[in-house]
Amino acid sequence: MKTVPEIDGKTGICGVMGDPVGHSVSPAMHNAAFRALGMNYVYLPFNVSAARLAGAVEGIRALNIAGMNVTIPHKVAVIPLLDEIDPLAQRIGAVNVIHNKAGRLIGGNTDAGGFLRLLEGRGIDAQGLQVAVLGAGGASRAVCFALASRGAEITILNRTAAGAARCAAEMAAFTGRAFEALEMNPANLARSLAKAELVVNATSIGMAPDVDKSPVSRELLGRRHTVVDIVYNPIKTRLMRDAEKAGAMSVGGLDMLAWQGALSFEIWTGRNAPLDLMRRAAAGALKSYED
Ligand code: NAP
């Protein structure tokens, strides 16, 4: 462990803005990384209402904040307030990281990269894989983009068919691949999961406090499936528990969370992030919320 500098006149400030942010694990994750590397930075939570978003973004400039993560509900609304959006975030249509580069605010997206690293870390090769992606929100779009870039065959299922169709059409236009879009009802889930090899939950179903909910009934899951639930709170979701009971391999959202944080850290500081330590810090913070 390096010597940790005191907060002083040169301390770099990073943070996360969202509403709510009270249960964010990002401060624990990033401050652990700064401490471990002996870097003179702090990472703070900023609870920003939708009405104050423009003022908060101006505040990043005015206060010379080095970097900011953006979370629910601001990932889309923040886009027109920034000076530049990198091509990946433009295509995904959501920004989860802002880099203050000498006063210019650049929006990026590390959710897609985080999801890809999750797959790589678990030895999942998406090339030619039949995938059912549940949900069509910001996280789903990052997941779909990542999977399509690796050559997966994707069906998007969403509560509203129109949401699935919109997401599929935009992702197809950006990636040049065909997507199937379906309403997420019992018949379509049964049909899609019968052919899917990988199932990804990118809805918020099962997230705390609704920890007993799952988007998929257990009978539809079997040994042939790998199930990735990007929900990370709780660390083990009902969907993951059901998948394991059905003999499927299951992966939770903690890996993706740690990776999106690590990639943000690298954008702001230009240094390699201590991924394992960040993952442990995130898990520790989540456990303290669960207890
Ligand atoms: P979002 O943009 O608000 O999208 C939410 C999605 O969930 C939409 O498709 C929505 O369907 C669906 N949904 C919500 N409640 C539902 C319900 N009761 N029944 C059916 N569908 C429902 O949120 P997001 O940013 O994509 O985040 C989604 C989840 O991913 C959250 O749990 C978030 O914590 C997690 N996430 C994890 C990571 C990570 O690093 N592991 C990163 C980003 C997000 P409609 O379109 O019909 O509303």
Side-chain angles (χ1 to χ4, degrees):
M1 189 71 63
K2 300 249 172 67
T3 314
V4 183
E6 291 293 329
I7 290 178
D8 61 17
K10 295 189 184 131
T11 302
I13 299 172
C14 297
V16 55
M17 57 187 201
D19 186 13
V21 285
H23 279 68
S24 172
V25 299
S26 292
M29 195 160 66
H30 286 278
N31 286 319
F34 291 142
R35 273 197 301 274
L37 299 184
M39 295 172 74
N40 190 3
Y41 277 87
V42 289
Y43 186 104
L44 302 168
F46 296 103
N47 201 316
V48 174
S49 68
R52 297 275 189 201
L53 183 62
V57 170
E58 196 44 42
I60 299 174
R61 292 190 184 91
L63 300 172
N64 198 24
I65 289 174
M68 186 71 83
N69 284 126
V70 183
T71 188
I72 292 172
H74 304 316
K75 288 185 181 183
V76 177
V78 78
I79 289 176
L81 303 171
L82 303 175
D83 299 312
E84 191 180 320
I85 307 298
D86 79 18
L88 177 68
Q90 255 174 44
R91 289 179 167 194
I92 293 169
V95 159
N96 77 317
V97 57
I98 300 171
H99 183 202
N100 185 349
K101 216 170 167 185
R104 262 183 86 69
L105 301 188
I106 301 165
N109 187 301
T110 60
D111 283 338
F115 184 76
L116 273 182
R117 299 304 213 299
L118 173 153
L119 294 181
E120 284 163 14
R122 302 291 173 145
I124 301 168
D125 179 3
Q127 174 63 44
L129 212 60
Q130 293 287 340
V131 189
V133 176
L134 315 180
S140 166
R141 297 165 66 94
V143 164
C144 286
F145 197 86
L147 285 166
S149 74
R150 290 294 186 274
E153 303 292 332
I154 303 167
T155 300
I156 301 172
L157 298 109
N158 194 53
R159 174 165 57 181
T160 60
R166 194 168 51 243
C167 181
E170 287 178 19
M171 289 297 113
F174 293 144
T175 63
R177 297 188 65 84
F179 286 75
E180 188 182 18
L182 296 172
E183 184 185 320
M184 194 168 73
N185 60 32
N188 284 339
L189 276 169
R191 189 158 70 79
S192 305
L193 266 69
K195 70 170 185 185
E197 299 160 283
L198 175 64
V199 181
V200 183
N201 177 34
T203 73
S204 38
I205 300 174
M207 191 167 84
D210 294 324
V211 295
D212 290 327
K213 297 219 168 93
S214 167
V216 177
S217 57
R218 198 197 299 177
E219 320 77 76
L220 298 182
L221 298 166
R223 277 178 194 290
R224 63 193 179 285
H225 292 130
T226 296
V227 175
V228 177
D229 195 340
I230 71 161
V231 170
Y232 53 78
N233 183 13
I235 292 172
K236 187 162 272 192
T237 61
R238 164 85 189 272
L239 172 62
M240 292 169 70
R241 285 185 272 126
D242 285 352
E244 285 167 18
K245 281 183 198 144
M249 175 176 133
S250 87
V251 183
L254 191 58
D255 291 9
M256 176 176 168
L257 177 74
W259 267 114
Q260 67 73 31
L263 294 169
S264 299
F265 182 99
E266 291 176 4
I267 290 171
W268 300 326
T269 67
R271 295 190 56 175
N272 287 335
L275 177 77
D276 291 341
L277 179 129
M278 291 175 80
R279 190 183 190 285
R280 281 198 303 278
L286 283 167
K287 272 201 121 354
S288 74
Y289 292 141
E290 278 176 25
D291 293 342

PDB file of all heavy atoms in Angstrom, residues 61 79-85 103-107:
ATOM      1  N   ARG A  61     -17.241  21.934 -15.166  1.00  0.00           N
ATOM      2  CA  ARG A  61     -16.303  22.891 -15.790  1.00  0.00           C
ATOM      3  C   ARG A  61     -15.830  23.911 -14.757  1.00  0.00           C
ATOM      4  O   ARG A  61     -14.639  24.139 -14.592  1.00  0.00           O
ATOM      5  CB  ARG A  61     -16.997  23.650 -16.919  1.00  0.00           C
ATOM      6  CG  ARG A  61     -17.348  22.820 -18.119  1.00  0.00           C
ATOM      7  CD  ARG A  61     -17.816  23.741 -19.270  1.00  0.00           C
ATOM      8  NE  ARG A  61     -18.244  22.944 -20.405  1.00  0.00           N
ATOM      9  CZ  ARG A  61     -19.488  22.540 -20.586  1.00  0.00           C
ATOM     10  NH1 ARG A  61     -20.444  22.864 -19.743  1.00  0.00           N
ATOM     11  NH2 ARG A  61     -19.794  21.790 -21.633  1.00  0.00           N
ATOM     12  N   ILE A  79     -26.230  13.996 -22.723  1.00  0.00           N
ATOM     13  CA  ILE A  79     -25.526  14.047 -24.022  1.00  0.00           C
ATOM     14  C   ILE A  79     -25.478  15.464 -24.626  1.00  0.00           C
ATOM     15  O   ILE A  79     -24.392  15.951 -24.958  1.00  0.00           O
ATOM     16  CB  ILE A  79     -26.122  13.004 -25.003  1.00  0.00           C
ATOM     17  CG1 ILE A  79     -25.722  11.612 -24.519  1.00  0.00           C
ATOM     18  CG2 ILE A  79     -25.661  13.248 -26.444  1.00  0.00           C
ATOM     19  CD1 ILE A  79     -26.305  10.467 -25.322  1.00  0.00           C
ATOM     20  N   PRO A  80     -26.620  16.156 -24.751  1.00  0.00           N
ATOM     21  CA  PRO A  80     -26.541  17.489 -25.393  1.00  0.00           C
ATOM     22  C   PRO A  80     -25.818  18.544 -24.556  1.00  0.00           C
ATOM     23  O   PRO A  80     -25.535  19.641 -25.058  1.00  0.00           O
ATOM     24  CB  PRO A  80     -28.021  17.874 -25.585  1.00  0.00           C
ATOM     25  CG  PRO A  80     -28.799  16.986 -24.698  1.00  0.00           C
ATOM     26  CD  PRO A  80     -28.003  15.742 -24.469  1.00  0.00           C
ATOM     27  N   LEU A  81     -25.497  18.219 -23.315  1.00  0.00           N
ATOM     28  CA  LEU A  81     -24.858  19.214 -22.441  1.00  0.00           C
ATOM     29  C   LEU A  81     -23.332  19.157 -22.532  1.00  0.00           C
ATOM     30  O   LEU A  81     -22.640  20.000 -21.953  1.00  0.00           O
ATOM     31  CB  LEU A  81     -25.287  18.975 -20.984  1.00  0.00           C
ATOM     32  CG  LEU A  81     -26.811  18.996 -20.733  1.00  0.00           C
ATOM     33  CD1 LEU A  81     -27.135  18.530 -19.323  1.00  0.00           C
ATOM     34  CD2 LEU A  81     -27.351  20.402 -20.964  1.00  0.00           C
ATOM     35  N   LEU A  82     -22.802  18.156 -23.231  1.00  0.00           N
ATOM     36  CA  LEU A  82     -21.345  17.959 -23.267  1.00  0.00           C
ATOM     37  C   LEU A  82     -20.747  18.577 -24.532  1.00  0.00           C
ATOM     38  O   LEU A  82     -21.460  18.876 -25.488  1.00  0.00           O
ATOM     39  CB  LEU A  82     -21.029  16.466 -23.171  1.00  0.00           C
ATOM     40  CG  LEU A  82     -21.606  15.785 -21.916  1.00  0.00           C
ATOM     41  CD1 LEU A  82     -21.345  14.281 -21.951  1.00  0.00           C
ATOM     42  CD2 LEU A  82     -21.027  16.401 -20.650  1.00  0.00           C
ATOM     43  N   ASP A  83     -19.413  18.735 -24.556  1.00  0.00           N
ATOM     44  CA  ASP A  83     -18.764  19.364 -25.710  1.00  0.00           C
ATOM     45  C   ASP A  83     -18.532  18.364 -26.838  1.00  0.00           C
ATOM     46  O   ASP A  83     -18.456  18.735 -28.005  1.00  0.00           O
ATOM     47  CB  ASP A  83     -17.411  19.955 -25.283  1.00  0.00           C
ATOM     48  CG  ASP A  83     -17.599  21.025 -24.217  1.00  0.00           C
ATOM     49  OD1 ASP A  83     -18.463  21.897 -24.418  1.00  0.00           O
ATOM     50  OD2 ASP A  83     -16.929  20.952 -23.174  1.00  0.00           O
ATOM     51  N   GLU A  84     -18.385  17.095 -26.458  1.00  0.00           N
ATOM     52  CA  GLU A  84     -18.067  16.078 -27.469  1.00  0.00           C
ATOM     53  C   GLU A  84     -18.541  14.729 -26.939  1.00  0.00           C
ATOM     54  O   GLU A  84     -18.448  14.482 -25.732  1.00  0.00           O
ATOM     55  CB  GLU A  84     -16.538  16.072 -27.640  1.00  0.00           C
ATOM     56  CG  GLU A  84     -16.023  15.306 -28.799  1.00  0.00           C
ATOM     57  CD  GLU A  84     -14.479  15.375 -28.848  1.00  0.00           C
ATOM     58  OE1 GLU A  84     -13.908  16.462 -28.581  1.00  0.00           O
ATOM     59  OE2 GLU A  84     -13.879  14.329 -29.120  1.00  0.00           O
ATOM     60  N   ILE A  85     -19.037  13.888 -27.835  1.00  0.00           N
ATOM     61  CA  ILE A  85     -19.436  12.532 -27.436  1.00  0.00           C
ATOM     62  C   ILE A  85     -18.599  11.585 -28.276  1.00  0.00           C
ATOM     63  O   ILE A  85     -18.565  11.719 -29.511  1.00  0.00           O
ATOM     64  CB  ILE A  85     -20.944  12.276 -27.736  1.00  0.00           C
ATOM     65  CG1 ILE A  85     -21.825  13.367 -27.123  1.00  0.00           C
ATOM     66  CG2 ILE A  85     -21.370  10.888 -27.256  1.00  0.00           C
ATOM     67  CD1 ILE A  85     -21.777  13.475 -25.621  1.00  0.00           C
ATOM     68  N   GLY A 103     -10.865  21.440 -19.777  1.00  0.00           N
ATOM     69  CA  GLY A 103     -12.067  22.267 -19.881  1.00  0.00           C
ATOM     70  C   GLY A 103     -13.087  21.783 -20.891  1.00  0.00           C
ATOM     71  O   GLY A 103     -14.217  22.255 -20.911  1.00  0.00           O
ATOM     72  N   ARG A 104     -12.696  20.846 -21.775  1.00  0.00           N
ATOM     73  CA  ARG A 104     -13.654  20.266 -22.724  1.00  0.00           C
ATOM     74  C   ARG A 104     -14.218  18.988 -22.129  1.00  0.00           C
ATOM     75  O   ARG A 104     -13.458  18.087 -21.742  1.00  0.00           O
ATOM     76  CB  ARG A 104     -12.945  19.907 -24.046  1.00  0.00           C
ATOM     77  CG  ARG A 104     -13.105  20.932 -25.123  1.00  0.00           C
ATOM     78  CD  ARG A 104     -12.458  20.499 -26.418  1.00  0.00           C
ATOM     79  NE  ARG A 104     -13.316  19.669 -27.278  1.00  0.00           N
ATOM     80  CZ  ARG A 104     -14.389  20.115 -27.902  1.00  0.00           C
ATOM     81  NH1 ARG A 104     -14.765  21.353 -27.786  1.00  0.00           N
ATOM     82  NH2 ARG A 104     -15.119  19.305 -28.665  1.00  0.00           N
ATOM     83  N   LEU A 105     -15.545  18.887 -22.078  1.00  0.00           N
ATOM     84  CA  LEU A 105     -16.165  17.717 -21.472  1.00  0.00           C
ATOM     85  C   LEU A 105     -16.502  16.689 -22.556  1.00  0.00           C
ATOM     86  O   LEU A 105     -17.299  16.949 -23.461  1.00  0.00           O
ATOM     87  CB  LEU A 105     -17.429  18.113 -20.707  1.00  0.00           C
ATOM     88  CG  LEU A 105     -17.243  19.124 -19.570  1.00  0.00           C
ATOM     89  CD1 LEU A 105     -18.529  19.271 -18.773  1.00  0.00           C
ATOM     90  CD2 LEU A 105     -16.076  18.735 -18.659  1.00  0.00           C
ATOM     91  N   ILE A 106     -15.865  15.516 -22.430  1.00  0.00           N
ATOM     92  CA  ILE A 106     -16.030  14.471 -23.447  1.00  0.00           C
ATOM     93  C   ILE A 106     -16.785  13.297 -22.838  1.00  0.00           C
ATOM     94  O   ILE A 106     -16.381  12.741 -21.808  1.00  0.00           O
ATOM     95  CB  ILE A 106     -14.651  14.036 -23.977  1.00  0.00           C
ATOM     96  CG1 ILE A 106     -13.954  15.262 -24.569  1.00  0.00           C
ATOM     97  CG2 ILE A 106     -14.787  12.922 -25.021  1.00  0.00           C
ATOM     98  CD1 ILE A 106     -12.505  15.100 -24.810  1.00  0.00           C
ATOM     99  N   GLY A 107     -17.897  12.941 -23.469  1.00  0.00           N
ATOM    100  CA  GLY A 107     -18.729  11.837 -22.975  1.00  0.00           C
ATOM    101  C   GLY A 107     -18.295  10.521 -23.590  1.00  0.00           C
ATOM    102  O   GLY A 107     -18.005  10.447 -24.795  1.00  0.00           O
TER     103      GLY A 107
END
